[in-house]
Amino acid sequence: MGEIQRPGALYQQVAAEIRKAITAGEFPPGAALPSESQLIARYGVSRPTVRNAVAALRAEGLVEVVHGKGSFVRFTAQPQLTVDRRITQDRSGRFTAADGAQWDHVEEPAVQRTQTTTATAAALEVEEGEALFACDRLLSDPATGTRVLHRTLIPFATAEGTDLADAPDSEPVVVYGVLAEAGHALTWTETVQARMPLPDERATLQIPDATPILHTLRITHGNDHQPLLLEEFRVSADRAQLTYRINADKPATRRRSRA
Amino acid sequence: MGEIQRPGALYQQVAAEIRKAITAGEFPPGAALPSESQLIARYGVSRPTVRNAVAALRAEGLVEVVHGKGSFVRFTAQPQLTVDRRITQDRSGRFTAADGAQWDHVEEPAVQRTQTTTATAAALEVEEGEALFACDRLLSDPATGTRVLHRTLIPFATAEGTDLADAPDSEPVVVYGVLAEAGHALTWTETVQARMPLPDERATLQIPDATPILHTLRITHGNDHQPLLLEEFRVSADRAQLTYRINADKPATRRRSRA
DNA sequence: ACTCAATACTCGTCATGACGAGTGACGTCA
DNA sequence: TGACGTCACTCGTCATGACGAGTATTGAGT
């Protein structure tokens, strides 16, 4: 696997040979590597050694193995989908997500009533165990098939007295609209992490070997920077990348103050 | 390895048992797992099976193995370091990175003269092969020891006629200042990707098993949204997370236009 | 009391052998 | 001609055995 070994290890040498052959063009992307028995013959080593070498290449994301068929050189995966994380608001006050994608719903949104965990309670600045709506969506980009797991957490305190109490499964941009109607000046904070997927995430997001997921938390802040809403966003990192727009913040104390 | 197998596989069952024991608290974070021979006795399986099971847990990032010592439960790695990607500009026009960290230089900045590759040329919207300065830094956060690889690419066209031609290894915020002095209104675009590290990145960034890296490209835009400068930012994803501030974009056509 | 070598543990590597499971092609039979 | 079973090939799993390499403890010798 990935640990740093002395390069003298036989399987490391075999892995290096195969890697060289791949980069030299002997095995272009998509091509089948020699089968295990052929590699055994070619390098004069035993099967565990060959399997160990292939496992190393697989862990690097260079090679993909299919049971019953063989090993194949993976296409160098530059993410095809760029998700623009900007938010725009038109003159009528409607919010729009800047990523152009029109996401398909793979499944119907599923709403639950749950409670905050330690992590989400901290992010929302509420007591642990606070009641909230959780709405899960499994989305798909029709152009690339890229899947996205999206979860919206709406604390009861936020939903109370708004349309959200009746329709907690509204689209996020609609939720923003409702909160803005309620008199909030909205800003957002996003936190981006990457980690290896859990087994169930691998399945639902169709994540290949040696591929991390991008895990994003978006907190919607209202007046006084009060956290109102938390969204979670998970996507396979070989399919998607995130873009952000940064503008220079001016210090708070300014001559020209608005309003 | 990570592939989806029938759960009936013996090593999967063993892995599940160990996983359960860990989450049940029998082996708290930092504790040593039973040795391979003990696991062989405990579950009545052979060594390859035990090793396969431990390898699966390692790939999940749940367990860390040290040669000659044993296997240990990894501390649930919530990134300790949050890197704030905002940029602020004070009244005198000086730029500041919003991440509070005072980065130490592990090595002196290394400047090279190189040419754009396909990827960087596209990002900078110039011809491939264009000449540029490349300045590499290996930084370290003194509080957590988190290492960051940072690279600044300054096209000759940008450096020309400014102080950057003589000091291409200036701190990024200083570079921003120089460009602003030259009459540019700066904005930035960041693209975040995650992927598994290359072997040399594993070494220099001290990245543990089953840990991806966060790979960020920051493009500095000048007047007319013209790309001036490209920065690259690589960090171990188990140590750091990135935060962004999002404000709603208003449509361009507005009554109140700023001079 | 200290040094350092022997030792007993740990995991890492490699070989051999066997069988199960998935895939695809080929050939037989209806 | 078509359906379907056989077969050869792939990788996946599991066991046994052996030795190398790293770590820590123990204990003998100084």
Side-chain angles (χ1 to χ4, degrees), chain B residues 44-226:
Chain B
V45 295
S46 73
R47 190 155 173 238
T49 305
V50 162
R51 283 190 62 79
N52 224 340
V54 173
L57 298 174
R58 205 210 298 219
E60 291 173 28
L62 194 65
V63 159
E64 185 180 358
V65 179
V66 183
H67 187 178
K69 296 186 73 175
S71 309
F72 303 88
V73 180
R74 266 173 79 180
F75 292 90
T76 28
Q78 272 300 73
Q80 309 97 324
L81 182 64
T82 299
V83 183
D84 192 328
R85 304 299 286 165
R86 279 178 298 175
I87 297 168
T88 57
Q89 184 178 26
D90 63 21
R91 261 151 300 191
S92 65
R94 234 193 314 271
F95 290 95
T96 315
D99 63 74
Q102 281 301 319
W103 299 101
D104 289 340
H105 279 75
V106 178
E107 296 162 5
E108 284 307 299
V111 183
Q112 300 171 5
R113 284 172 175 72
T114 38
Q115 300 178 333
T116 54
T117 63
T118 314
T120 56
L124 287 165
E125 293 176 21
V126 297
E127 297 290 315
E128 191 171 337
E130 198 89 0
L132 40 73
F133 294 108
C135 175
D136 286 304
R137 298 166 200 276
L138 179 54
L139 305 171
S140 167
D141 174 51
T144 63
T146 305
R147 288 188 166 190
V148 170
L149 262 172
H150 182 272
R151 159 171 274 197
T152 313
L153 294 183
I154 312 177
F156 280 8
T158 299
E160 226 161 42
T162 71
D163 295 349
L164 300 179
D166 300 320
D169 59 341
S170 307
E171 297 275 343
V173 288
V174 175
V175 176
Y176 301 158
V178 172
L179 296 175
E181 290 278 323
H184 282 289
L186 300 182
T187 56
W188 294 268
T189 307
E190 285 214 355
T191 305
V192 183
Q193 300 181 25
R195 56 175 172 78
M196 295 313 282
L198 301 173
D200 60 314
E201 291 172 330
R202 283 194 50 132
T204 56
L205 291 176
Q206 303 172 331
I207 297 179
D209 264 357
T211 306
I213 65 172
L214 281 165
H215 192 310
T216 305
L217 293 185
R218 174 184 282 182
I219 301 174
T220 305
H221 298 275
N223 298 332
D224 303 323
H225 206 257
Q226 167 200 358

Side-chain angles (χ1 to χ4, degrees), chain A residues 16-195:
Chain A
E17 289 284 335
I18 301 176
R19 201 183 295 115
K20 198 165 59 182
I22 291 174
T23 54
E26 185 177 349
F27 305 114
L33 247 50
S35 72
E36 289 182 357
S37 24
Q38 288 171 334
L39 290 174
I40 289 169
R42 180 163 173 169
Y43 297 110
V45 296
S46 72
R47 190 156 172 237
T49 305
V50 164
R51 283 190 63 79
N52 223 339
V54 173
L57 298 175
R58 202 208 302 218
E60 291 174 27
L62 195 64
V63 159
E64 186 181 356
V65 180
V66 184
H67 187 179
K69 297 186 73 174
S71 309
F72 303 88
V73 181
R74 267 173 78 179
F75 293 89
T76 29
Q78 272 300 76
Q80 309 98 321
L81 181 65
T82 299
V83 183
D84 191 329
R85 303 299 285 168
R86 278 179 299 176
I87 297 168
T88 58
Q89 183 177 27
D90 63 20
R91 260 152 304 188
S92 65
R94 236 193 315 270
F95 290 96
T96 315
D99 62 75
Q102 280 302 320
W103 300 99
D104 288 342
H105 279 75
V106 178
E107 297 162 3
E108 284 307 299
V111 184
Q112 299 171 7
R113 282 173 175 73
T114 39
Q115 300 180 335
T116 53
T117 63
T118 314
T120 55
L124 287 166
E125 294 176 21
V126 297
E127 295 292 316
E128 190 172 338
E130 197 89 359
L132 40 74
F133 295 109
C135 176
D136 288 305
R137 296 165 203 278
L138 179 54
L139 305 170
S140 168
D141 174 50
T144 63
T146 304
R147 287 188 167 189
V148 171
L149 261 173
H150 182 273
R151 161 171 274 197
T152 312
L153 294 182
I154 311 178
F156 281 6
T158 300
E160 226 160 44
T162 71
D163 295 349
L164 299 179
D166 300 321
D169 59 341
S170 306
E171 298 276 341
V173 287
V174 175
V175 176
Y176 301 158
V178 170
L179 295 175
E181 290 278 323
H184 282 289
L186 300 181
T187 56
W188 293 268
T189 309
E190 283 212 357
T191 304
V192 183
Q193 300 182 25
R195 57 175 172 78

